[in-house]
Amino acid sequence: MGDYTKLWTELGVDLEKHDKLCAVLPELFGATYLTQENRPEAMNYFNFVVSEIHGLRIQELDEHRKNGGKVVGTFCVFVPDEVILAAKAIGIGLCAGSQFWIEDGEKVLPRNMCPLIKAFMGAKIGGTCPYFQSCDMIIGETTCDGKKKAWEVLDEYVPVHVMDLPQMKRTKDYSRWSEEIKDVIKK
């Protein structure tokens, strides 16, 4: 990976913690994927993308923002990417799949909260994920009670818009979902 220290610093990434996170990724990826027998040559582009996962893409997002564009983070397939694209924003799927972030998440959330929720909170408040640091806004959804509370807390760190997901498929629920989409368009 190239040297993106200046970019990460400008985004507010905790460089020391980020280095610890990134130190294990090449070994894990290499041991899992690069040692596969008969791995197709066509995967080399994917291998390159993964090697630059916190570099080139973050640089692209930063350039988009410097040119007046916005970056919107999401976690769920229910958030309509079409709306984000129509707003000339870039939507990025955020992850919470690392145990590494849980400790920082527990600084603002109860220990008995779901690990996934504590991880995404920790990624943002710990400043270790440049994708979270690149977001101008995050769109959350009401898929569980833990996330509902987490969005309130996360809004103290980055603007959050919450889409209320209907729990059933009745006509009135479709109408309500239509209103949620209109609300995100306004936002």
Side-chain angles (χ1 to χ4, degrees):
M1 180 165 27
D3 184 3
Y4 299 95
T5 305
K6 183 178 183 287
L7 173 61
W8 294 330
T9 301
E10 290 171 358
L11 289 172
V13 172
D14 182 324
L15 298 177
E16 186 177 330
K17 282 185 182 178
H18 183 256
D19 286 349
K20 288 179 185 175
L21 174 66
C22 289
V24 298
L25 296 179
E27 183 179 327
L28 289 172
F29 182 79
T32 304
Y33 298 104
L34 299 181
T35 58
Q36 292 174 335
E37 288 184 36
N38 301 317
R39 185 168 173 83
E41 283 291 318
M43 291 302 295
N44 286 337
Y45 177 75
F46 178 76
N47 300 339
F48 168 74
V49 169
V50 170
S51 75
E52 286 284 335
I53 200 115
H54 281 188
L56 283 178
R57 182 61 174 154
I58 301 302
Q59 191 171 31
E60 290 172 359
L61 297 174
D62 188 60
E63 289 170 14
H64 178 72
R65 291 174 76 207
K66 286 179 178 171
N67 290 323
K70 299 291 183 189
V71 176
V72 178
T74 66
F75 292 93
C76 190
V77 296
F78 296 108
V79 176
D81 287 326
E82 300 86 351
V83 171
I84 295 169
L85 292 170
K88 296 188 175 31
I90 295 176
I92 54 172
L94 298 172
C95 74
S98 175
Q99 295 285 336
F100 183 84
W101 294 320
I102 290 175
E103 184 178 337
D104 283 332
E106 288 178 342
K107 292 176 182 174
V108 295
L109 294 173
R111 289 182 57 87
N112 65 347
M113 183 76 76
C114 162
L116 175 118
I117 295 169
K118 291 187 294 188
F120 77 67
M121 288 294 293
K124 174 58 184 169
I125 67 167
T128 52
C129 178
Y131 287 95
F132 278 84
Q133 300 304 102
S134 297
C135 290
D136 295 294
M137 178 173 79
I138 292 176
I139 301 176
E141 77 301 316
T142 57
T143 52
C144 71
D145 289 340
K147 280 188 173 181
K148 291 174 191 176
K149 182 61 181 172
W151 303 136
E152 291 175 26
V153 177
L154 191 59
D155 194 47
E156 297 172 19
Y157 299 89
V158 59
V160 175
H161 177 80
V162 180
M163 297 184 77
D164 186 26
L165 290 176
Q167 303 299 306
M168 300 173 82
K169 296 179 181 178
R170 302 169 300 190
T171 302
K172 66 181 179 179
D173 298 308
Y174 286 113
S175 296
R176 205 171 99 223
W177 181 240
S178 177
E179 291 303 314
E180 286 297 319
I181 292 172
K182 291 174 186 171
D183 286 348
V184 81
I185 290 169
K186 291 175 191 169
K187 185 71 173 182

